[in-house]
């Protein structure tokens, strides 16, 4: 997408808005945008600069799979120009329609539009043949720099249609952000050349898109939102040993005690990560560095 193609950008943006809005096209006297999670705030600010105030629904330490927005957050959301969603997070699937039914002005932007979904890593094979429903796809699309680049593109297109006076700014910022994601992608690939193992264990399976992009194997303790059975844990220990897993990732949103037990059993290092962090690039490099030590 380049600045000289403003006309085509606006046409495609308007087409996108016609299928992603929560209600009618919004009025122009709102200066706040609400997003689901901090990585979306990061990419939205990268595209908009200082044009809008960006507010995040899911607070630090909370799981976006089960989070319940507060009445105050819903009231604040009603004063927003747009709501930018990942697309398949738990509370987005179960609560979004109810939350926005009385907000006809609010435009809903699906940041994951056009990103090929992958099944949940823990789905039973008989349930994982297709991903026809949101419930069957992994929601953590942002954990891939390539996906983040596409999410920025989706956000840029949508906001260009909402605020045409700032189209040039949005497109310029998008191009700058896309270049950063390309550079990050190249750095990750180069660093992973030195990885001693192409496999890792994580408590909550949040890195499937990252693993797919970089030819890695993700093992996870959690299955279908619950701890694995004792039988499955025994199998998991053997699988991790066979794959020569060197690192076990745990997230602060989840207790992860079982993951720590497995790490002791297989002699792997424990590294705490935060895929929901605002500082996206730093967090991705932290994950890569852990895999290469």
């Amino acid at each position: 997408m380049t600045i000289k193609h403003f006309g085509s950008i606006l046409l495609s943006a308007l087409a996108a808005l016609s299928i992603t809005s929560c209600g009618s096209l919004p009025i122009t006297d709102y200066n706040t945008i609400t997003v689901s999670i901090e990585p979306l705030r990061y990419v939205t600010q990268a595209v908009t600069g200082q044009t809008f105030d960006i507010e995040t629904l899911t607070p630090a330490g909370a799981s976006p799979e089960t989070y319940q927005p507060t009445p105050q957050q819903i009231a604040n959301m009603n004063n927003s120009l747009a709501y930018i969603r990942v697309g398949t997070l738990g509370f987005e699937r179960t609560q979004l329609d109810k939350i926005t039914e009385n907000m006809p002005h609010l435009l809903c932007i699906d940041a994951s539009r056009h990103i090929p979904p992958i099944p949940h890593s823990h789905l039973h094979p008989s349930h994982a043949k297709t991903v026809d429903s949101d419930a069957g796809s992994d929601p953590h699309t942002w954990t891939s720099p390539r996906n983040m680049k596409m999410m920025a593109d989706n956000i840029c297109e949508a906001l260009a249609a909402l605020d045409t006076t700032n189209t040039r700014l949005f497109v310029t910022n998008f191009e700058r952000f896309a270049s950063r994601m390309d550079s990050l992608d190249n750095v990750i690939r180069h660093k992973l050349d030195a990885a001693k193992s192409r496999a890792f264990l994580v408590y909550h399976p949040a890195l499937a898109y990252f693993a797919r992009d970089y030819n890695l194997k993700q093992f996870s303790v959690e299955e279908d939102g619950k701890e694995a059975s004792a039988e499955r844990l025994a199998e998991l220990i053997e699988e991790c040993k066979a794959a020569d897993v060197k690192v076990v990732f745990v997230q602060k949103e989840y207790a992860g005690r079982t993951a720590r037990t497995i790490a002791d059993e297989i002699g792997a290092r424990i590294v705490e990560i935060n895929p929901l962090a605002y500082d996206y690039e730093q967090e991705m490099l932290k994950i890569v560095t852990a895999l290469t030590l």
Side-chain angles (χ1 to χ4, degrees), residues 118-290:
I118 58 178
H120 277 298
S121 60
H122 50 70
L123 287 179
H124 188 278
S126 63
H127 299 152
K129 293 179 182 178
T130 62
V131 287
D132 294 333
S133 67
D134 285 348
S137 61
D138 191 300
H140 308 91
T141 51
W142 69 92
T143 58
S144 151
R146 288 184 173 184
N147 286 355
M148 279 290 267
K149 180 179 175 179
M150 186 173 292
M151 294 169 91
D153 196 354
N154 290 333
I155 292 168
C156 180
E157 284 193 352
L159 295 182
L162 289 180
D163 185 1
T164 55
T165 61
N166 284 305
T167 296
R168 182 180 296 273
L169 171 67
F170 298 154
V171 173
T172 299
N173 287 347
F174 162 75
E175 291 176 342
R176 188 178 296 116
F177 181 81
S179 178
R180 289 216 315 268
M181 290 301 101
D182 288 341
S183 296
L184 179 61
D185 178 62
N186 290 333
V187 168
I188 291 174
R189 292 183 186 281
H190 178 72
K191 284 182 173 291
L192 285 175
D193 286 341
K196 296 179 181 179
S197 172
R198 306 296 298 186
F200 60 88
L201 173 68
V202 62
Y203 180 80
H204 178 71
L207 300 175
Y209 292 90
F210 173 80
R212 181 178 68 179
D213 279 6
Y214 301 109
N215 193 29
L216 303 170
K217 173 64 177 178
Q218 172 183 259
F219 293 101
S220 65
V221 174
E222 196 179 68
E223 292 187 330
D224 199 21
K226 301 176 182 178
E227 284 239 337
S229 65
E231 180 181 0
R232 174 57 189 147
L233 288 177
E235 294 175 351
L236 189 58
I237 289 172
E238 294 307 313
E239 290 172 357
C240 288
K241 287 180 178 178
D244 196 26
V245 168
K246 303 289 188 184
V247 62
V248 174
F249 294 120
V250 295
Q251 303 108 301
K252 64 180 180 180
E253 291 81 18
Y254 306 93
R257 288 186 294 271
T258 305
R260 296 176 188 275
T261 300
I262 295 176
D264 291 339
E265 186 74 21
I266 66 177
R269 290 178 295 106
I270 297 172
V271 177
E272 184 173 305
I273 60 172
N274 183 13
L276 292 169
Y278 172 80
D279 196 340
Y280 176 79
E281 293 174 62
Q282 178 178 324
E283 194 63 29
M284 296 305 295
L285 289 174
K286 178 181 179 180
I287 292 170
V288 173
T289 298

Side-chain angles (χ1 to χ4, degrees), residues 12 16 18 37 70-71 78 82 84 98 105-106 109 121 144-145 153 198 201 206 218 222 225 233 240:
S12 61
S18 68
I37 57 174
T70 67
N78 191 44
I84 302 178
K98 182 178 180 180
H105 69 280
L106 187 71
I109 301 170
S121 60
S144 151
D153 196 354
R198 306 296 298 186
L201 173 68
Q218 172 183 259
E222 196 179 68
L233 288 177
C240 288

